[in-house]
């Protein structure tokens, strides 16, 4: 395997000179190599491992490829990816869990060839695959992409779809080519999006659907007929989904509430959404208050009286005036260094202080 981390991790992740027996070929099952990193990808790997254990399974998971261990939490301890941890927990051979920093590294490609993969499957792997990689598996590389391709090609398809307020999205199985998310589509499945679902939940749902779709299509992928039926994407309908940037996380209340509500849903998890308000004490002295907005609703119009900048409270929500006479209802929020709280508890804690939109 490629570059290794400290000694403790080396025992878990550095590959041996020869692959272990799981890839050795004393079986008629076809070798699949899985590539993925976060928790949603771990759920796909779990589905594949369970299916591969069936006596009549046509494939086995011969190796796992994932991102290198990363420093996490306050202790900055190096921790394996969710995919690596799942593989280890399932008893997968540690010398067949590859963690190259780049998928084009010569040592990694050499080790991959020794595994003799007939098909590679990717799900939120997070690394660009060079042509030298794509040339290795004879049945190609298939990606689970959480959008209805050619819509939302890129790193953040679920988040950008929610930000756009789509009412329908889905998941696609597509062959990987050098151009980003541009390969022929083997199959796709639609999913109706309600107005309150957030990105982490929708990601999990779509990758779960993608896992089932993959198992359904694997026989045709492994006998080669999927390549014949796969449909080229219509490049005239392409939309893009660039990765999220933490600088985008601020809410601007001159925009309409619906746009802000969709942003809260899209940016849930990381990077979240932030807003600045003004807290005015009993002496009329203002102070800037920064909050993280967790859960919201959108109202097309505000029917509560105020001076146009005043933040009010009604029912269980803060009511923040927004563009177009609309109103953002903040149901849950978080103050710096504090736990998530309800709007009601936050409002009760103001003790008569006035809350305004920050200019």
């Amino acid at each position: 395997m490629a570059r290794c981390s400290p000694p403790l991790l080396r025992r878990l992740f550095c590959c041996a000179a020869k692959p272990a027996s799981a890839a050795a070929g004393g079986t008629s099952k076809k070798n699949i190599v899985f590539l993925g990193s976060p928790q949603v990808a771990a759920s796909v790997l779990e589905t594949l491992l369970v299916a591969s254990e069936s006596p009549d399974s046509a494939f086995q998971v011969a190796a796992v490829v994932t991102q290198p261990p990363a420093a996490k939490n306050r202790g900055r301890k190096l921790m394996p990816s969710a995919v690596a941890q799942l593989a280890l927990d399932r008893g997968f051979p540690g010398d067949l869990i590859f963690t190259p920093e780049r998928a084009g590294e010569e040592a990694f490609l050499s080790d991959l060839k020794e595994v003799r993969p007939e098909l590679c499957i990717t799900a939120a792997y997070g690394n660009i695959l060079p042509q030298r990689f794509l040339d290795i598996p004879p049945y190609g590389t298939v990606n689970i992409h959480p959008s209805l391709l050619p819509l939302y090609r890129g790193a953040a398809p679920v988040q950008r779809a929610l930000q756009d307020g789509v009412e329908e999205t889905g998941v696609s199985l597509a062959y990987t080519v050098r151009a980003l998310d541009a390969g022929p589509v083997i199959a796709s499945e639609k999913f109706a999006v309600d107005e309150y679902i957030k990105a982490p939940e929708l990601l999990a749902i779509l990758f779960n659907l993608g896992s089932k779709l993959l198992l359904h299509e694997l026989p045709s992928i492994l006998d080669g007929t999927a390549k014949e039926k796969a449909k080229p994407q219509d490049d005239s309908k392409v939309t893009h989904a660039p990765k999220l940037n933490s600088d985008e996380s601020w809410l601007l209340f001159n925009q309409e509430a619906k746009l802000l509500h969709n942003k809260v849903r899209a940016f849930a998890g990381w990077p979240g959404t932030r807003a600045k308000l003004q807290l005015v004490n009993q002496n009329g002295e203002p102070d800037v208050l920064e909050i993280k907005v967790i859960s919201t609703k959108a109202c097309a119009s505000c029917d509560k009286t105020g001076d146009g900048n005043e933040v009010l409270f009604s029912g269980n929500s803060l009511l923040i005036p927004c563009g177009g006479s609309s109103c953002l209802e903040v149901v849950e929020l978080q103050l710096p260094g504090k736990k998530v709280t309800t709007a009601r508890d936050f409002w009760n804690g103001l003790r008569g202080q006035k809350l305004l939109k920050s200019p």
Side-chain angles (χ1 to χ4, degrees), residues 35-311:
L35 298 89
S37 297
Q39 186 57 48
V40 288
S43 68
V44 178
L45 175 59
E46 173 71 14
T47 298
L48 284 171
L49 289 172
V50 170
S52 71
E53 293 165 356
S54 171
D56 58 351
S57 172
F59 70 91
Q60 62 181 1
V61 179
V64 171
V65 184
T66 189
Q67 293 279 11
K72 296 179 180 178
N73 303 322
R74 292 183 179 178
R76 308 308 290 167
K77 180 181 178 183
L78 285 178
M79 300 291 291
S81 73
V83 161
Q85 190 62 59
L86 183 278
L88 291 169
D89 291 345
R90 292 286 260 96
F92 200 85
D95 58 352
L96 290 173
I97 302 173
F98 301 154
T99 61
E101 291 189 7
R102 294 177 301 278
E105 293 176 0
E106 292 295 340
F108 164 65
L109 293 175
S110 175
D111 290 330
L112 184 66
K113 289 176 183 176
E114 287 195 47
V115 176
R116 299 189 297 277
E118 293 176 79
L119 172 68
C120 290
I121 294 169
T122 60
Y125 171 44
N127 251 336
I128 295 173
L129 302 178
Q131 192 61 48
R132 289 178 300 160
F133 177 101
L134 298 177
D135 289 340
I136 293 174
Y139 289 100
T141 297
V142 172
N143 182 44
I144 299 176
H145 186 78
S147 81
L148 297 173
L149 291 170
L151 302 178
Y152 297 105
R153 291 181 184 175
V158 169
Q159 294 90 338
R160 296 303 183 187
L162 287 178
Q163 189 177 8
D164 287 346
V166 300
E167 296 180 354
E168 182 182 75
T169 186
V171 62
S172 302
L173 288 183
Y175 284 106
T176 301
V177 296
R178 285 291 293 130
L180 181 64
D181 300 323
V185 175
I186 300 166
S188 61
E189 186 167 336
K190 296 178 179 180
F191 182 79
V193 179
D194 72 47
E195 61 179 316
Y196 296 111
I197 194 169
K198 298 178 183 178
E201 181 185 357
L202 184 55
L203 270 167
I205 289 171
L206 293 180
F207 275 102
N208 182 51
L209 289 175
S211 299
K212 296 175 181 178
L213 192 62
L214 174 65
L215 289 185
H216 182 266
E217 298 294 335
L218 263 179
S220 66
I221 295 171
L222 291 173
D223 69 17
T225 57
K227 283 192 174 180
E228 299 173 7
K229 75 171 185 176
K231 298 178 180 179
Q233 295 184 38
D234 184 347
D235 288 341
S236 70
K237 297 180 180 178
V238 170
T239 60
H240 296 283
K243 68 185 295 184
L244 303 183
N245 186 316
S246 60
D247 291 338
E248 297 179 78
S249 65
W250 291 102
L251 298 181
L252 303 176
F253 296 117
N254 60 342
Q255 296 180 320
E256 291 193 8
K258 186 68 173 178
L259 291 177
L260 300 180
H261 171 63
N262 288 338
K263 191 172 191 176
V264 171
R265 299 161 59 215
F267 284 45
W270 190 92
T273 42
R274 298 175 289 169
K276 288 182 179 179
L277 301 173
Q278 270 197 337
L279 189 61
V280 182
N281 64 22
Q282 286 88 342
N283 297 323
E285 299 167 337
D287 192 15
V288 175
L289 179 67
E290 183 178 317
I291 65 171
K292 188 172 184 179
V293 180
I294 306 298
S295 298
T296 57
K297 299 177 183 178
C299 285
S301 62
C302 277
D303 57 1
K304 298 294 179 181
T305 58
D307 66 4
N309 286 319
E310 188 174 357
V311 178

Side-chain angles (χ1 to χ4, degrees), residues 302-347:
C302 277
D303 57 1
K304 298 294 179 181
T305 58
D307 66 4
N309 286 319
E310 188 174 357
V311 178
L312 303 174
F313 182 81
S314 178
N316 292 306
S317 305
L318 298 179
L319 305 181
I320 303 179
C322 298
S325 299
S326 61
C327 192
L328 185 69
E329 296 187 31
V330 177
V331 181
E332 291 181 308
L333 65 149
Q334 186 175 14
L335 297 173
K338 304 292 185 180
K339 294 182 179 180
V340 173
T341 186
T342 64
R344 176 176 292 278
D345 287 343
F346 167 76
W347 186 261

